[in-house]
Amino acid sequence: MRRSDFDVVIVGAGAGGAAAAWRLCTQGLRVLVLEAGPAYDPRKDYKLDTEHWETELFPAKPGSAGRYVFAPMQPLEEKYSDLRSWNLVSGRSNLSARREPSGPGYHHVRGVGGSTLHFTGEAHRLHPQAMQMRSRFGVAADWPMDYATLEPYYTIAEQLIGVAGSNEAGALGERWRSAPYPLPAHALNKGSQRLGQAAAALGLRWSANPRAALSQAYDGRPACNYCGNCNRGCPRTDKGSVDVTFMHHALATGRCEVRSDTSVTRILTAPNGTVREIECVDKLRKRSRIPVKRLILACGAIETPRLLLASANRSAPRGLANESGQVGKNLMESLSWISSGLLEESVDSFKGLPADAICWDYNRPDAIPGVVGGCRFSAAVHEASLVGPINYALRIVPGWGKAHKAAMRKTFGAALSIGAIGEFLPNAGTYVDLDPKARDAHGMPLARIHSQLGEQEILKLQFMAQTCRQILHGAGIRQLAEEYGTYDYFSAAHVFGTCRMGNNPNEAVVDAQGSSHRRRNLFICDASVFPSSGGGEAPSLTIEALALRCADHILGLVRANTPV
Amino acid sequence: MPPSSLSRRQFLQLLLWSLFAMRPSSALANAVPEIAAPSKGPRAAFEQSLRAFVDVLIPADALSAAASAVGVDAQIIALSKNDYRFRKLLSVGFKWLDSQMPGGFAQLSEDAQIRVVDWMSQADGNSLPRRLFEILRYESMSFYYADHRSWQGLRIQRPPQPIGYPDHAG
């Protein structure tokens, strides 16, 4: 396939890029996907069948971790000391006086499959009311579409992935469906059953969480065997990461080419303002230019604005597609909390599917008293990584010597964790720009992340923490063992909003189809287009639905012979 | 969902930032009886003391072996070869520890070793003894429980795959 023969070039092989590639290829277009990170082989690269399985989370490979810079974050206040992270072994985790990134801070995988390679695999539809935050509450921005517009695309994505979920009305809430889930819900593990009883006693509805993990064999992939380690990479391929779903089927058409380990460093434009070609560096550090007819950016809410800002030129001095000045603005991060404790006896809580159960009762944007924006609660022992003896010993079983060995044997499997994720409202202090000094190996400026928690976020965190503690107490936890939250740490797997979509070109980077308002052959298919974050919903399914819709728009343009 | 455990690198940063501002305490003297020391080279002394220390942290019992029996001390030494800061902490830390008692830590009785480690575990958070204890506990537990021989008596006896836990709900 010659380079100039590609109808569409996609940058980024994560949820958005893979979904768009699949839709375009299966409808007859030829697609080139460029991915900065490596390709993973689930059967060789994931280590869950070795005795060292617990020593790292998702396995790193050369190029799989992006580099970012953080601007100094806000001082921590003593009045919020109940929101500090701590555990029984080490005490308080963040000993500094400021909020800091936790590890890399932005938890992201660069690779064919993107962050779906390490995601838990929750397959959520956005709450319909979470799409109208400005018109209803005067915050964030409205989505330029409603739930009904996205619903058919949610259904397509769920069918391709093989989402397992409950079709009972109580589990669906206000998220109406045109078709049932393709697979039945998973059975809850014993820890989640215990949490469910406690939640019910508090009047909370606890239901099976819709999961991109197969409850039955589907599409040539086996059913999940409940090893509990989705975040370390699924060697069986039953988890619906996009490498084994969308991308697998895109490649099967013969019309898709994926080039891994290839970084795009600049987008170049024609005199008429359209995108003309891209500059990239391959794994041998060879630079080249690739002409493009249509370009989709799907690099995520940090890397997509970075590439646009780094592509500034004489006719676009503030960055490409940044006529609105909104590229990099409106960053929304993950607002999260996890409380963990130990039961008197083991319930083998390390077994089963991560986040197998969820409570949506506070997900609606006006559901939490006194704040705007919702949240959700879910079983979280696996996502807290309390699934093996190393993490027990290092975090929640203090001591040493023979007594410690005995305590390990008594308590292993007794940990219960409940997590909450909440809505983050955009604010002027939270955004992405280019660091003036730091550059990557290719000379490209690094993204610099600025983060500021607003009062609404802190109030929401307090509600989330208090509710988590109440549920654990109801489940029989008498002493908490660890708490971890984003008051004292920047720790985000889900980031949004830095190229927001909207109908007004003065306020939005792309339109409702994902098309740049001013660069008509430039499209964005990732969470950077989200006008609001939602109330704790995992974003991958919505990213995929938006990408499918964007792909259909491109197909329409191609079929109508719309000139590039 | 992000991981909530510290990485080894973060942990080291936390422990080492004030390493050279630390002073040992004379209170240790009360915990340690004097024992005559056999003559040996500094490298051998360090390795003996490290081995003894990790075995105090993780001793053998009826079900599973001590830390050194599964090679924890050797893995700590191997790790230090690639990490200057860790190597420096071990060097300074064990030089201090062995200087506190004639013959060094390894020559103490088991009871005395336990008393020393207990004292170190409760020393001031910014002191060298406490930081040496914390990093050795962290590394020892990490290496020990990554070895299948440590899993005897735990409710996990094999890696999660390839079998998984099909009995998760029952």
Side-chain angles (χ1 to χ4, degrees), chain B residues 20-158:
Chain B
F20 298 105
M22 297 181 270
R23 285 187 213 73
S25 166
S26 59
L28 177 62
N30 298 328
V32 185
E34 292 192 3
I35 295 175
S39 169
K40 54 184 180 289
R43 181 72 190 175
F46 160 68
E47 291 180 0
Q48 283 183 21
S49 293
L50 174 63
R51 188 177 312 125
F53 201 103
V54 299
D55 283 349
V56 171
L57 292 174
I58 308 175
D61 67 5
L63 291 174
S64 55
S68 65
V70 302
V72 166
D73 51 331
Q75 291 180 81
I76 288 174
I77 290 170
L79 179 69
S80 73
K81 288 178 179 168
N82 298 317
D83 188 328
Y84 168 78
R85 294 176 306 171
F86 184 41
R87 193 162 66 243
K88 187 75 177 174
L89 175 62
L90 290 181
S91 171
V92 173
F94 275 93
K95 194 171 177 182
W96 165 81
L97 180 62
D98 282 338
S99 72
Q100 300 302 304
M101 54 214 83
F105 180 78
Q107 300 304 316
L108 297 176
S109 68
E110 184 182 339
D111 283 350
Q113 287 176 343
I114 290 172
R115 284 199 298 277
V116 170
V117 173
D118 187 48
W119 176 85
M120 291 172 68
S121 75
Q122 298 177 58
D124 180 82
N126 285 324
S127 67
L128 173 61
R130 177 66 176 275
R131 286 172 182 262
L132 184 64
F133 167 83
E134 296 290 354
I135 191 66
L136 287 174
R137 183 188 185 280
Y138 182 95
E139 300 298 354
S140 298
M141 297 292 176
S142 299
F143 286 126
Y144 185 72
Y145 285 108
D147 189 298
H148 70 277
R149 288 170 289 184
S150 73
W151 300 344
Q152 293 297 318
L154 292 174
R155 294 176 72 87
I156 185 171
Q157 309 258 318
R158 55 175 172 76

Side-chain angles (χ1 to χ4, degrees), chain A residues 188-197 206 353 355-357 379-380 382 416:
Chain A
L188 306 191
N189 73 12
K190 287 186 276 187
S192 296
Q193 293 171 29
R194 188 88 169 241
L195 289 172
Q197 292 162 5
W206 193 248
L353 196 63
D356 56 1
H382 302 89
L416 285 187

